[in-house]
């Protein structure tokens, strides 16, 4: 069973929400974040990426950055940009991207469900990134970025959402990337209670995105329990989440670019690749986007190639090894190009499919030597791996649209 909880949202006043809402802190670098927030004092990046407010380039893990994040959040509250609802509610958050709709429930989920395995992971986390978000949550005394969770579609939950979204929205705005964001508030206690009961019948929630935020929120809660040994139902026992039904989500491809050919000539490269892949050189200069599993595009020396994994290079019985990201890593990136630790190797970079395959070509023409396009990982694959207690290789999934930060905040007291 899964526990969800209504909460008193700290949120922007309607007239400010469009300026406040920002992409998650971890999908852009420092320069991009600074550019996005330029000229907009309300942007939530001033909270989630407070290092952009220092004149000099500062270590993002410096204590001054976390203090600045706290000050910036308090400043938004003191200026009445943010208001806090006077009762616990559940909210609905809908995004529309290129005509595709995904609608989630904004609520709090229990750190005990994460600890006990009812909220399932599919990625490893890095200690430095966990520590960063732990300090951020502690300093701000709030979950500022929601965890992106999914669950297996439930008709009764969907019916409630359909009914509630017939009401007037709380927010309705468009962001600069053309995505529509609409939110509603569920205030009626009977509806909140009904949703709570329905989620108690669901076996598991799955982290789609936000593994580091989730781990940090849980560890903050555990530490605060140590300080409050008689804890019961305090806010630090829960963290901010948006729960989407699995059938509404789309995972984009997460492609790879590599800086060099590991000392190989093109002829030697193709020969080595041919051991595990069928290779077809494409005459058409149009970037090759795989339309089925176990096929890959490769762009090198101004030409596109189609690669197809040969039988015996993987086992469909193994949930992780049968992923296309694993097949490429185990049969090409590691043995041919020498990329043995993709999480750490500086020779490889990862490009989200939202940037398009032209983005891969551009990278090869500028700072990289070879690119690979992949077929996207599926939601079913993600859930299977999480159910088996396994983890995916790094950079296996790219979700769009991204949940905007700053629309809903869960304070811890």
């Amino acid at each position: 069973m899964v526990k969800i909880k209504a909460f008193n949202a700290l949120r922007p006043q309607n007239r400010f929400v469009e300026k406040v809402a920002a992409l998650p802190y971890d999908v852009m670098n420092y320069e991009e974040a600074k550019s996005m927030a330029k000229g907009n004092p309300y942007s939530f990046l001033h909270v989630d990426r407070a290092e952009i407010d220092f004149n000099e380039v500062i270590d993002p893990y410096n204590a001054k950055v976390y203090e600045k994040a706290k000050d910036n959040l308090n400043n938004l509250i003191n200026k009445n940009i943010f208001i806090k609802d006077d009762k616990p509610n559940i909210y609905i958050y809908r995004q529309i991207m290129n005509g595709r709709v995904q609608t989630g429930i904004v609520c709090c989920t229990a750190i005990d469900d994460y600890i006990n395995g009812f909220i399932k992971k599919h990625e490893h986390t890095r200690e430095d990134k966990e520590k960063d978000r732990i300090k951020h949550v502690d300093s701000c005394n709030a979950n500022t970025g929601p965890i992106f969770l999914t669950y297996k579609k439930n008709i009764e939950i969907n019916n409630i959402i359909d009914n509630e979204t017939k009401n007037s929205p709380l927010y309705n705005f468009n962001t600069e990337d053309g995505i529509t964001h609409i939110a509603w508030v569920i205030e009626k206690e009977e509806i909140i209670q009904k949703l709570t009961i329905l989620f108690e019948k669901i076996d598991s929630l799955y982290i789609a995105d936000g593994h580091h935020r989730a781990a940090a929120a849980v560890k903050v809660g555990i530490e605060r329990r140590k300080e409050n040994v008689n804890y019961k139902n305090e806010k630090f026992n829960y963290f901010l989440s948006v729960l989407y039904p699995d059938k509404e989500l789309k995972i984009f491809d997460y492609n790879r670019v590599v800086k060099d050919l590991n000392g190989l000539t093109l002829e030697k490269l193709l020969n080595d690749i041919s051991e595990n892949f069928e290779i077809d050189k494409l005459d058409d200069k149009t970037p090759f986007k795989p339309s089925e599993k176990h096929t890959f595009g490769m762009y090198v020396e101004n030409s596109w190639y189609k690669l197809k994994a040969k039988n015996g290079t993987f086992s469909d019985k193994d949930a992780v090894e049968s992923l296309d990201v694993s097949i490429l890593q185990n049969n090409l990136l590691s043995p041919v190009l020498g990329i043995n630790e993709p999480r750490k190797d500086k020779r490889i970079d990862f490009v989200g499919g939202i940037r398009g395959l032209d983005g891969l070509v551009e990278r090869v023409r500028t700072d990289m030597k070879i690119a690979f396009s992949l077929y996207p990982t599926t939601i079913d694959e993600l859930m299977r791996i999480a159910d088996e207690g396994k983890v995916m290789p790094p950079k296996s999934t790219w979700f769009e649209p991204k949940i905007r930060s700053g629309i809903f905040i869960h304070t811890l007291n």
Side-chain angles (χ1 to χ4, degrees):
M1 60 177 286
V2 169
K3 184 173 184 179
I4 69 167
K5 194 174 188 298
F7 70 109
N8 305 65
L10 179 66
R11 57 182 182 82
Q13 291 202 55
N14 192 291
R15 66 182 184 273
F16 297 116
V17 67
E18 186 173 345
K19 291 184 176 181
V20 169
L23 286 166
Y25 77 99
D26 56 352
V27 301
M28 79 285 287
N29 60 32
Y30 169 85
E31 290 78 14
E32 290 170 331
K34 197 172 183 70
S35 176
M36 288 176 184
K38 186 177 181 180
N40 180 7
Y42 304 129
S43 172
F44 205 68
L45 289 173
H46 294 291
V47 177
D48 267 356
R49 294 292 297 268
E51 65 267 27
I52 66 175
D53 287 344
F54 290 86
N55 291 328
E56 74 283 4
V57 177
I58 190 172
D59 182 350
Y61 302 152
N62 190 303
K64 292 180 181 179
V65 174
Y66 303 108
E67 189 65 27
K68 185 66 173 176
K70 173 186 173 182
D71 291 343
N72 287 344
L73 179 57
N74 287 336
N75 187 47
L76 291 170
I77 295 170
N78 293 336
K79 288 186 175 180
N80 211 31
I81 308 301
F82 276 82
I83 56 175
K84 192 169 188 178
D85 287 335
D86 57 8
K87 66 175 288 293
N89 302 311
I90 285 178
Y91 306 84
I92 297 173
Y93 177 36
R94 172 172 290 167
Q95 295 163 289
I96 306 173
M97 176 181 175
N98 298 328
R100 185 174 63 83
V101 179
Q102 62 183 40
T103 307
I105 291 173
V106 185
C107 59
C108 284
T109 49
I111 69 171
D112 284 318
D113 282 347
Y114 181 98
I115 293 168
N116 296 324
F118 297 116
I119 296 176
K120 297 184 176 181
K121 304 167 282 187
H122 68 267
E123 285 184 6
H124 285 305
T125 53
R126 284 174 42 181
E127 185 179 6
D128 59 337
K129 290 190 174 184
E130 277 191 29
K131 286 182 177 178
D132 167 51
R133 287 301 100 178
I134 288 170
K135 291 178 181 177
H136 191 273
V137 171
D138 254 339
S139 297
C140 294
N141 198 37
N143 305 134
T144 58
I147 314 306
F148 185 163
L149 301 175
T150 186
Y151 60 94
K152 293 177 181 176
K153 182 178 177 180
N154 179 287
I155 296 299
E156 291 180 273
I157 294 172
N158 276 20
N159 288 341
I160 291 175
I161 292 174
D162 288 344
N163 189 58
E164 291 297 314
T165 53
K166 294 175 183 177
N167 299 324
S168 297
L170 183 68
Y171 300 127
N172 190 342
F173 64 97
N174 295 319
T175 43
E176 68 287 343
D177 51 5
I179 297 172
T180 299
H181 304 262
I182 312 174
W184 294 262
V185 57
I186 300 176
E187 297 180 290
K188 293 180 179 179
E189 291 295 334
E190 61 268 28
I191 303 299
I192 292 173
Q193 184 63 21
K194 188 171 183 180
L195 281 171
T196 302
I197 292 171
L198 286 171
F199 272 99
E200 286 177 350
K201 298 177 182 178
I202 289 178
D203 293 332
S204 303
L205 299 175
Y206 301 82
I207 299 178
D209 200 7
H211 283 79
H212 289 93
R213 277 167 278 161
V218 171
K219 290 184 177 180
V220 168
I222 290 172
E223 287 303 309
R224 296 197 178 193
R225 284 178 171 183
K226 293 177 183 177
E227 299 166 5
N228 300 268
V229 293
N230 296 317
Y231 70 87
K232 291 183 179 178
N233 205 33
E234 295 85 354
K235 293 182 179 180
F236 57 72
N237 293 296
Y238 302 87
F239 57 87
L240 179 63
S241 302
V242 184
L243 284 52
Y244 292 95
D246 58 341
K247 301 306 179 186
E248 292 188 8
L249 300 182
K250 180 177 180 179
I251 301 178
F252 285 70
D253 42 311
Y254 215 157
N255 303 308
R256 275 78 170 129
V257 287
V258 180
K259 285 185 179 295
D260 57 66
L261 301 186
N262 199 28
L264 303 175
T265 64
L266 178 60
E267 182 180 5
K268 175 63 172 169
L269 173 76
L270 295 174
N271 182 68
D272 289 355
I273 290 174
S274 68
E275 291 187 18
N276 292 317
F277 297 87
E278 299 172 6
I279 305 175
D280 291 317
K281 185 176 181 180
L282 305 177
D283 294 329
D284 189 351
K285 294 295 183 181
T286 303
F288 177 70
K289 187 177 180 66
S291 59
E292 59 181 340
K293 285 177 61 62
H294 311 331
T295 61
F296 308 83
M298 181 176 72
Y299 182 71
V300 61
E301 295 194 6
N302 299 314
S303 294
W304 278 96
Y305 297 80
K306 176 184 176 181
L307 310 181
K308 184 172 183 179
K310 292 181 178 179
N311 292 334
T313 57
F314 62 92
S315 170
D316 280 325
K317 294 180 180 180
D318 189 307
V320 176
E321 297 305 309
S322 62
L323 291 173
D324 280 3
V325 290
S326 297
I327 294 170
L328 185 68
Q329 176 61 39
N330 296 339
N331 296 281
L332 198 161
L333 295 178
S334 177
V336 178
L337 294 178
I339 306 291
N340 298 314
E341 295 189 67
R343 190 182 296 275
K344 299 178 181 179
D345 199 316
K346 301 299 184 183
R347 295 170 55 228
I348 189 170
D349 200 4
F350 306 89
V351 182
I354 191 66
R355 296 181 183 270
L357 297 189
D358 288 338
L360 296 182
V361 173
E362 181 63 25
R363 290 296 300 273
V364 172
R365 290 176 178 173
T366 54
D367 63 327
M368 293 292 177
K369 186 68 175 178
I370 187 169
F372 299 93
S373 57
L374 286 82
Y375 188 76
T377 303
T378 68
I379 289 286
D380 288 341
E381 288 173 324
L382 182 154
M383 289 182 166
R384 178 187 171 192
I385 288 169
D387 283 338
E388 292 181 7
K390 297 178 180 179
V391 295
M392 290 183 174
K395 311 297 184 182
S396 293
T397 58
W398 180 280
F399 285 90
E400 287 286 350
K402 301 291 185 186
I403 300 174
R404 289 311 197 268
S405 295
I407 303 176
F408 299 102
I409 298 170
H410 170 237
T411 57
L412 300 186
N413 61 14

